[in-house]
Amino acid sequence: MNGNPVNPINPTAIVTGAASGIGLYATQALIRRGWHVVMACRDRAKAEQAAQSLSLDAKNYAIVPLDLASLQQVRECVSQVRQLGRSIDALVCNAAVYLPLLKEPQRSAEGYEINVAVNHLGHFLLTNLLLGDLQQSSYGQRRVVFLGTVTANRDELGGKIPIPAPPDLGDMAGLAAGFQAPIAMIDGKPFKPGKAYKDSKLCNMLTVRELHRQFHETTGITFGSLYPGCVADSPLFRHHFPLFQRIFPWFQKNVTGGYVSQSLAGERVAMVVADPQFAQSGVHWSWGNRQSPDRQAFVQPIFAKAIAEERVGRLWELSAQLVGIGTQTARSQVAS
């Protein structure tokens, strides 16, 4: 953490996965609001090309390499962000992988199943390492925002769909056993790639709850998650069947009416990061599945079994062990 970070006129947000999709359009929407954005991405050249495709002014963004599949590279990213010398005022945990056609699990650099490694554990470590930097900011609306999904919430229709299986962390036996091969699921059961994604996104939403419980009162940081709507043509689906990639957007646009464009989803992310009406901490925001830009956001409940305090606390403790930090690490940073 810098001893005396610069506090520029325009606040600064870090956005993971900002080289495409929702992250890219959230970057654009934040810049329009006067923010400076640190685009944290695996591929610097791709991020630069994406920024130029939207005619973003180079003075309004910086690009820092981040591969969430490597905990060492997460730490290196934090170091490079600090070298920019800017006050960190918001963190947007947007990047995700979704590999529904896998037959066998892929593994991160540390040997963890890739959905959970990238979507949850990488972001978990990144957030913990940056909490002290966020607290040090003098900006009045400091926020940490995670992208959730309707399919991770069993209180919503999308979370009840049993294909391949609803989200369920079970007793977290897989995490407790070290989450190394042959273990590939949080609950320790046989590998199901679609469920691995849902479980990882549920972890994101539960992490927000624990961040709020532990740190909101002492730091003043607002912690939240959101589901911006069904972005059916998101690059997230690029590893799905080609036929699915053609039919799913059409179905959401013409049958369910649930389609939301990448640009509108990015705008909604920026709203949760920057707008005063989203100052409530510890909640999950949703617009439902509707494209209308006039649709109002609301707080969406998460199913009670998942958010039981002892379960969320256990997820936090096991995640901290897997990423190599003590459960007191973030507390010591925000206290320093």
Side-chain angles (χ1 to χ4, degrees), residues 54-307:
L54 295 184
S55 300
L56 303 183
D57 192 324
K59 71 176 183 294
N60 294 325
Y61 67 87
I63 300 171
V64 173
L66 172 63
D67 184 353
L68 289 160
S70 164
L71 298 178
Q72 178 57 37
Q73 291 199 32
V74 172
R75 295 178 184 275
E76 291 173 3
C77 172
V78 170
S79 177
Q80 292 190 47
V81 165
R82 289 171 178 161
Q83 290 174 23
L84 297 175
R86 302 187 67 92
S87 172
I88 304 304
D89 308 302
L91 170 63
V92 181
C93 296
N94 160 77
V97 297
Y98 175 50
L99 303 168
L101 305 184
L102 289 181
K103 302 300 183 184
E104 298 293 334
Q106 288 187 10
R107 300 280 173 178
S108 72
E110 289 73 29
Y112 304 143
E113 190 279 322
I114 200 69
N115 286 274
V116 175
V118 171
N119 303 348
H120 170 52
L121 293 173
H123 279 131
F124 180 88
L125 177 60
L126 181 68
T127 303
N128 272 274
L129 295 178
L130 288 172
L131 278 178
D133 301 77
L134 285 155
Q135 185 190 27
Q136 195 175 36
S137 162
S138 60
Y139 186 65
Q141 296 287 332
R142 296 159 296 156
R143 296 181 185 174
V144 174
V145 175
F146 280 74
L147 268 289
T149 175
V150 67
T151 61
N153 187 3
R154 293 176 69 170
D155 270 359
E156 299 186 73
L157 178 60
K160 298 179 189 296
I161 298 173
I163 302 172
D168 185 0
L169 306 184
D171 60 1
M172 295 176 241
L175 295 186
F179 208 50
Q180 299 280 347
I183 300 168
M185 299 296 288
I186 290 174
D187 59 10
K189 295 182 180 180
F191 178 62
K192 294 181 179 179
K195 182 178 182 296
Y197 170 78
K198 293 180 184 180
D199 288 351
S200 72
K201 298 305 289 182
L202 176 57
C203 288
N204 288 162
M205 295 154 72
L206 299 187
T207 296
V208 165
R209 295 295 181 115
E210 188 65 7
L211 284 165
H212 167 75
R213 189 186 71 81
Q214 292 194 39
F215 302 112
H216 173 64
E217 186 174 343
T218 55
T219 67
I221 299 169
T222 295
F223 302 98
S225 58
L226 78 149
Y227 170 61
C230 185
V231 189
D233 55 3
S234 166
L236 182 69
F237 298 115
R238 66 188 180 276
H239 298 294
H240 217 307
F241 290 114
L243 182 61
F244 175 90
Q245 295 179 52
R246 292 196 300 271
I247 291 177
F248 189 51
W250 178 91
F251 183 78
Q252 292 294 337
K253 291 176 183 178
N254 299 289
V255 179
T256 69
Y259 173 78
V260 171
S261 68
Q262 296 178 50
S263 60
L264 179 55
E267 176 66 25
R268 288 173 174 173
V269 172
M271 290 168 66
V272 176
V273 172
D275 291 3
Q277 64 265 39
F278 294 92
Q280 184 177 354
S281 184
V283 300
H284 177 66
W285 297 98
S286 181
W287 283 258
N289 289 350
R290 293 295 178 266
Q291 169 73 6
S292 171
D294 299 322
R295 187 175 178 88
Q296 297 299 305
F298 59 93
V299 174
Q300 174 70 61
I302 301 173
F303 65 107
K305 180 182 177 181
I307 62 175

